Amino acid sequence: QVQLVESGGGSVQAGGSLRLSCAASIYTYRTYYMGWFRQAPGKEREGVAAVDSRGTTTYADAVKGRFTISKDNAKNTLYLQMNSLKPEDTAMYYCAAGSGAYYYILDSRFFAYWGQGTQVTVSS
């Protein structure tokens, strides 16, 4: 059974940084594609960043140049480094994993496994 556990969320002022981590209990971790999604109150869940099994990364336009996704296969851990945070980045952030075919890697429908989420709050 796949389990994903996020950590690293918190409260920060605009312009600050946070690093999210996602520990994954996946035997064949390196064969999965992984992603970070977020959901703000009253809004739909949206893809933030993802990395495929080859290490290719994809970012939402809203976070390009500010967020960096990385994957440590030796530690089965996914990271999201978030810099220059803005109030509009405030949301619950979820780690997700998938192993099947996908059309668009930032589409949550292609991810079968989800963590419980970690809250990120950015104040102005």
Side-chain angles (χ1 to χ4, degrees), residues 2-111:
V2 175
Q3 289 188 323
L4 304 172
V5 180
E6 302 99 332
S7 61
S11 297
V12 64
Q13 289 192 327
S17 298
L18 284 172
R19 188 176 82 154
L20 306 183
S21 299
C22 173
S25 61
I26 301 175
Y27 181 69
T28 54
Y29 179 73
R30 62 178 64 248
T31 68
Y32 280 66
Y33 51 88
M34 306 287 295
W36 288 98
F37 294 79
R38 66 186 182 187
Q39 187 167 20
K43 294 188 177 181
E44 292 187 355
R45 186 172 296 188
E46 63 175 352
V48 174
V51 55
D52 68 18
S53 60
R54 296 168 296 176
T56 302
T57 57
T58 302
Y59 295 92
D61 288 343
V63 306
K64 280 181 182 176
R66 300 189 297 122
F67 290 11
T68 303
I69 189 171
S70 60
K71 187 182 176 196
D72 187 331
N73 289 329
K75 296 182 178 180
N76 281 17
T77 302
L78 181 74
Y79 301 99
L80 184 68
Q81 177 66 45
M82 305 185 295
N83 299 327
S84 302
L85 283 161
K86 304 176 181 180
E88 51 264 44
D89 294 319
T90 295
M92 185 71 79
Y93 283 70
Y94 298 90
C95 170
S99 61
Y102 59 87
Y103 178 72
Y104 178 52
I105 200 171
L106 290 182
D107 187 336
S108 62
R109 293 173 296 178
F110 296 106
F111 289 78

